[in-house]
Amino acid sequence: RWPADVPEPARQVKLRMSAVVDEHGRVTDVGVLDWPDDQNKVIVPAIQALRKWEYKPGLRNGTPVKVQIEVVVAFEP
């Protein structure tokens, strides 16, 4: 959800982020790869959203393993 004080133009932004997905498919670590100018107010909502996502875990020889992924979080009005 957008904070009320984020202006409309700032709501149209894409953030390239990294995340670690654990053996259970949960996001455990989140990083911002592209920090947009003057968009600091969207970073926290993007991190909060990404931490709620679930994935199928990565597999190595059929066994679930931690993996690092890259995702794009797009904010639009």
Side-chain angles (χ1 to χ4, degrees):
R1 202 165 237 198
W2 281 101
D5 60 343
V6 175
E8 187 71 25
R11 295 177 186 209
Q12 299 175 15
V13 70
K14 292 182 180 179
L15 298 175
R16 203 167 58 95
M17 304 177 77
S18 67
V20 173
V21 178
D22 71 11
E23 298 86 346
H24 305 285
R26 294 182 298 242
V27 174
T28 58
D29 296 313
V30 175
V32 179
L33 301 174
D34 292 331
W35 199 282
D37 294 335
D38 300 325
Q39 303 297 333
N40 291 336
K41 291 181 181 179
V42 299
I43 300 297
V44 171
I47 291 170
Q48 290 172 336
L50 186 53
R51 287 188 179 274
K52 292 178 183 177
W53 296 355
E54 290 187 21
Y55 292 86
K56 290 184 179 178
L59 297 175
R60 181 179 299 140
N61 298 324
T63 302
V65 294
K66 263 188 210 183
V67 293
Q68 185 165 351
I69 62 170
E70 186 175 308
V71 295
V72 174
V73 177
F75 289 98
E76 298 176 357

